Structures are given as structure tokens and as C-alpha cells.
Amino acid sequence: MKAEVKRVTPELATQLLSKNSNNRKVKKNTLTFYINQMKSGNWKENGEGIIIDTHGVIKDGQHRLMAIVESKQSYLMPIISGVSPFVMDTIDTGSNRSASDVLYLEGHKNSTLLASIIKLILVDKLAVNGAKYTNVSNKNILDFAEKNTVSLKAIIKNVTEINSLQVVKLLTPSIIGYYLHKYGNNENTAYFLKQITGTFRIPNTSTDYVFKKLSRNKTGEERLSLTDKQLYIEKAYENFLQGNKEINYLRINRK
């Protein structure tokens, strides 16, 4: 690993960017803000560095380099090169780099949806153990994605199908993915989710009861908390497994 302070000119920034590959998606608002700060003279040389791995890939600093090129300004910046290619999940974990960014940079497709699904899964696991959702880090999410790549890819495929069939979006794609993982990514679970989202309705059953509940919540006729939604869905699934018989009322147990 090597660290040195250099004056980063538009020419040097262009050279560094030309060696880059598979970096995170450009955030236009961030880039525009940086360019405006540089053009107006408000950009500060604050010691924040450019991090480059052993393959020449920029691990941190892409937006700053692009802004230097666009603004035609030059700044003194530390350049740290020769870092391991496998440090992405430890950089900018505070606020700048999201779990979606980390997954995208590591080559995972549908990174935004994937990050949301995994977070729901991990939050659920942590809640069982009495931990808070804030314990879910980018590294936790990346590790889960790496260990479950094949199954998550199959879940995303089913999520896309089930979500596309919703006439009214009663469940978000990430919630659909969460339940596909929780109950098993198979035809049975997919059929259950299609029933409670209204694609396939069987009148007077638990799934139809929950569909109506979710619909009324969507229109504002009835307010359901996130916990209530979860409890109704779980109760409906229990009844679904028992044959989804006709009911008049579905009772949930609020703790």
C-alpha cells in the first residue's frame, strides 16, 4: 500500500478514471453539487483521499475526480493506492455509501431491491435475538448476499413476476421478497402471495380477508400498522397451509 499527496489536475483525474471499472452508479445530485462547489471556489482541501486498489479500480473518490474534470480545477489530495480489492464494504459506511452501492460494486444485479430484501431478512433475525435493526451493517448485507447468491437470484425473479401482477401495489417488492425467503421460494408461497395481493382471489377465505384489509389500508379507509400487516399475513399463511377454509373473521394476537 502506498500513500502520497498529489495535485490532482483534470488531466490526472481523467487518467485515474480511465483505469476504473465497475464503480458505483453516478449520483447526479452529488456530482452536480461537487462541480458547483469547485467552480464557485467553495471546495476545501480537507485531506479526504482517493483510494485505489491493486487493479487500478477507484474504491473511493469517483465523484470528486469526475467533478475535477468537469470543473477544470485542481486540488491537493492524498492518494492511497495498492489497497485490497475486497475492502468495499468497509469504505464510506457512515452515510455516503449505501448497502445498495456495496452490492452493485461487488457485481450483484438489482442491488437496490436486493439490499432492501436482505435488510428485512436480517432485521427479522436480529429481532428474534432481541437486537435492534441498527446492527445491520453493509458488511452484514454483503456477507448474506455472497453466501446466498443463487437463492436470492431466484427470489428476485419471483418477486418481479408477483409484483408485475399486482393491479394495486399492496405489497412492496422488498416485502414480497422477504416472505418468499421466510416461507420458501416455491410455487406454494408464490400462490399464497398472489392471493393476498389480489391476483388470485378466493372469496371468504383468510387470504381474501387480508387482501381486503390491505386494500382498505391502501385507500385510507382503514389504518394498519406495519406490525398489524405482518400479523395478518402470518395468520393468513397459517390458515392457507391448513386448506384456506372459509372464514367470517380473522383474529390476530397483538402482544
Side-chain angles (χ1 to χ4, degrees), residues 200-234:
F200 301 125
R201 291 182 60 187
I202 303 177
N204 304 319
T205 60
S206 295
T207 52
D208 194 48
Y209 186 92
V210 173
F211 165 76
K212 292 175 182 176
K213 279 277 185 183
L214 294 174
S215 297
R216 287 196 292 269
N217 179 75
K218 185 75 175 181
T219 60
E221 297 175 60
E222 183 177 351
R223 294 298 180 187
L224 295 176
S225 67
L226 291 174
T227 300
D228 283 349
K229 289 179 187 177
Q230 183 176 10
L231 290 173
Y232 275 118
I233 291 171
E234 290 177 355

Side-chain angles (χ1 to χ4, degrees), residues 31-76:
L31 180 58
T32 300
F33 175 76
Y34 286 178
I35 292 171
N36 290 338
Q37 288 286 295
M38 291 179 182
K39 285 184 175 180
S40 65
N42 291 322
W43 187 265
K44 305 295 182 183
E45 294 175 340
N46 61 5
E48 191 172 8
I50 306 297
I51 302 175
I52 305 171
D53 74 12
T54 52
H55 301 306
V57 175
I58 298 167
K59 292 298 185 181
D60 193 39
Q62 175 187 231
H63 288 79
R64 279 171 280 146
L65 291 173
M66 293 177 71
I68 286 174
V69 173
E70 291 295 323
S71 67
K72 297 180 173 57
Q73 303 297 312
S74 301
Y75 298 95
L76 284 173

Side-chain angles (χ1 to χ4, degrees), residues 83-99:
V83 303
S84 167
F86 307 108
V87 298
M88 206 67 253
D89 56 286
T90 66
I91 297 175
D92 278 354
T93 57
S95 59
N96 292 331
R97 201 179 299 277
S98 67

Side-chain angles (χ1 to χ4, degrees), residues 15-192:
Q15 180 184 345
L16 294 174
L17 287 166
S18 69
K19 299 177 182 179
N20 200 34
S21 64
N22 199 35
N23 212 329
R24 61 171 153 171
K25 292 173 281 189
V26 174
K27 296 180 179 178
K28 293 183 179 179
N29 290 340
T30 298
L31 180 58
T32 300
F33 175 76
Y34 286 178
I35 292 171
N36 290 338
Q37 288 286 295
M38 291 179 182
K39 285 184 175 180
S40 65
N42 291 322
W43 187 265
K44 305 295 182 183
E45 294 175 340
N46 61 5
E48 191 172 8
I50 306 297
I51 302 175
I52 305 171
D53 74 12
T54 52
H55 301 306
V57 175
I58 298 167
K59 292 298 185 181
D60 193 39
Q62 175 187 231
H63 288 79
R64 279 171 280 146
L65 291 173
M66 293 177 71
I68 286 174
V69 173
E70 291 295 323
S71 67
K72 297 180 173 57
Q73 303 297 312
S74 301
Y75 298 95
L76 284 173
M77 290 183 172
I79 296 181
I80 297 89
S81 58
V83 303
S84 167
F86 307 108
V87 298
M88 206 67 253
D89 56 286
T90 66
I91 297 175
D92 278 354
T93 57
S95 59
N96 292 331
R97 201 179 299 277
S98 67
S100 173
D101 289 330
V102 172
L103 293 176
Y104 176 81
L105 289 162
E106 292 300 325
H108 292 277
K109 296 181 179 179
N110 303 294
S111 59
T112 301
L113 175 57
L114 188 60
S116 297
I117 292 172
I118 294 174
K119 187 168 185 178
L120 287 174
I121 293 169
L122 294 180
V123 165
D124 190 47
K125 288 186 175 181
L126 289 169
V128 172
N129 296 323
K132 294 183 179 179
Y133 72 91
T134 49
N135 290 335
V136 177
S137 67
N138 287 354
K139 179 170 175 52
N140 294 145
I141 291 173
L142 178 60
D143 286 347
F144 189 90
E146 295 289 342
K147 291 176 183 177
N148 301 277
T149 302
V150 175
S151 62
L152 287 168
K153 184 177 180 180
I155 284 174
I156 293 291
K157 182 179 180 181
N158 263 346
V159 167
T160 302
E161 180 198 356
I162 295 168
N163 185 56
S164 68
L165 294 173
Q166 292 190 93
V167 177
V168 179
K169 304 300 182 183
L170 299 180
L171 295 181
T172 64
S174 55
I175 291 292
I176 293 171
Y178 163 76
Y179 281 112
L180 284 170
H181 177 269
K182 183 180 180 71
Y183 296 142
N185 185 29
N186 50 52
E187 291 183 5
N188 200 49
T189 304
Y191 184 48
F192 166 73

